[in-house]
Amino acid sequence: MEQSDLITELQDLDIELMRARKRLDEMPEKAAILTMRRRIAEIEALLSRARQAHDAVDARVRRLEDETTLLEQKMDAEQAKLMSGEVTNPKEVANISRELDGLRRQKEKLEGDTLAEMEKREKAAEQAGKVEAAVEEGRRRDGVLVKDFQDKGGGLTAEIARLEARRAAVAASLEPDLLGQYERLRGSKHGIGLGVLHDTTCTACRVELPSNEIEALRGGPPIGVCPACHRLIVVTPKETA
Ligand SMILES: [Zn+2]
């Protein structure tokens, strides 16, 4: 196969691929998946905040429990002093008793605070659990949508795979320099890197070329450059045009 035929086929394949990918992109099932993914991301952000809130209150509960333990140790020590029989001075005994009463009140206050925080922790855990379930439900529905998309877009996906395989084969048969030039033009010119000289017009830019330029193209190599759009142009011999 001539290079000019190969590159024309490559261009045709690229256009077909663009159309097929666009059709796949525009499937309502795909839009539904994107919407669902955004929703899941939002719920995941909520989940992260809910877990942070739970961890913060959990840390407060632990701190209060630690404080209570310290207080209990202090009370035990005071109690032991009283029971040891070493303290006999009534004034000192009264002091220790007062100290113990104070500690007991502090402990009651701490226990009340701990209980309140534990209730908050329970609610935070419940909230995180609900959001977690919502994330799971979102993922489940996403799975259903993906399956639906695959079922309905399966034919299109297979067609794209077939076109891609054919494109790879054609590209491999093209001279690397020509392929590179085509790819660069395709990248910079909205996916169209090649025109064909049809009568007096470039099929890519649809500009009617002046006769001297057409003569120059026809006198040159089978693949030239369009003077109007600077894409590659396949110069079709006059007799077969
Ligand atoms: Zn052109």
Side-chain angles (χ1 to χ4, degrees):
M1 233 172 151
E2 297 287 336
Q3 290 289 303
S4 58
D5 292 333
L6 284 167
I7 199 158
T8 307
E9 186 179 355
L10 191 68
Q11 169 85 80
D12 291 346
L13 285 165
D14 279 336
I15 292 171
E16 273 188 77
L17 269 167
M18 273 196 289
R19 285 186 185 139
R21 289 192 183 119
K22 189 161 182 281
R23 283 216 305 282
L24 198 66
D25 265 354
E26 285 170 354
M27 280 177 65
E29 288 78 7
K30 175 147 186 183
I33 289 171
L34 291 177
T35 305
M36 180 56 70
R37 299 258 160 104
R38 272 197 296 276
R39 179 85 193 106
I40 291 172
E42 282 166 13
I43 311 174
E44 278 172 343
L46 279 180
L47 180 59
S48 148
R49 283 205 291 280
R51 281 183 177 150
Q52 275 168 16
H54 172 269
D55 290 351
V57 70
D58 184 53
R60 284 203 295 277
V61 169
R62 284 166 197 278
R63 211 158 50 230
L64 287 166
E65 284 172 343
D66 287 349
E67 278 178 46
T68 307
T69 305
L70 279 174
L71 212 59
E72 281 168 350
Q73 284 166 357
K74 223 164 156 188
M75 287 169 76
D76 286 349
E78 294 297 322
Q79 195 73 43
K81 242 193 266 176
L82 267 188
M83 305 306 277
S84 67
E86 283 166 18
V87 183
T88 49
N89 180 340
K91 204 175 161 197
E92 209 176 325
V93 170
N95 277 345
I96 293 176
S97 295
R98 247 199 323 278
E99 171 77 9
L100 268 170
D101 284 344
L103 289 172
R104 207 169 288 125
R105 276 194 299 277
Q106 274 185 52
K107 194 186 160 201
E108 275 165 19
K109 163 98 175 54
L110 267 179
E111 281 169 346
D113 290 351
T114 308
L115 218 60
E117 289 299 320
M118 283 169 101
E119 271 168 30
K120 280 190 211 161
R121 183 173 63 180
E122 205 174 310
K123 283 201 183 104
E126 207 177 298
Q127 179 61 20
K130 274 185 201 159
V131 183
E132 221 164 37
V135 170
E136 266 168 42
E137 174 60 11
R139 288 193 185 134
R140 188 194 64 78
R141 278 157 71 182
D142 181 65
V144 173
L145 286 172
V146 168
K147 172 93 175 52
D148 206 23
F149 176 65
Q150 282 167 346
D151 287 349
K152 290 183 186 160
L156 212 46
T157 311
E159 172 69 1
I160 288 170
R162 186 191 68 76
L163 289 168
E164 278 172 345
R166 177 68 196 149
R167 187 199 193 275
V170 173
S173 312
L174 269 173
E175 284 161 14
D177 282 353
L178 183 61
L179 178 63
Q181 213 178 339
Y182 167 78
E183 297 285 25
R184 272 194 303 282
L185 286 163
R186 196 165 74 92
S188 62
K189 293 185 182 293
H190 314 289
I192 307 290
L194 179 83
V196 174
L197 181 63
H198 192 73
D199 292 335
T200 56
T201 310
C202 162
T203 56
C205 63
R206 305 199 186 277
V207 169
E208 201 164 318
L209 301 169
S211 56
N212 62 321
E213 281 176 341
I214 292 168
E215 285 316 307
L217 281 172
R218 291 209 194 284
I223 304 167
V225 173
C226 169
C229 66
H230 307 294
R231 290 180 175 94
L232 290 169
I233 189 164
V234 170
V235 184
T236 316
K238 212 168 204 160
E239 52 271 21
T240 60

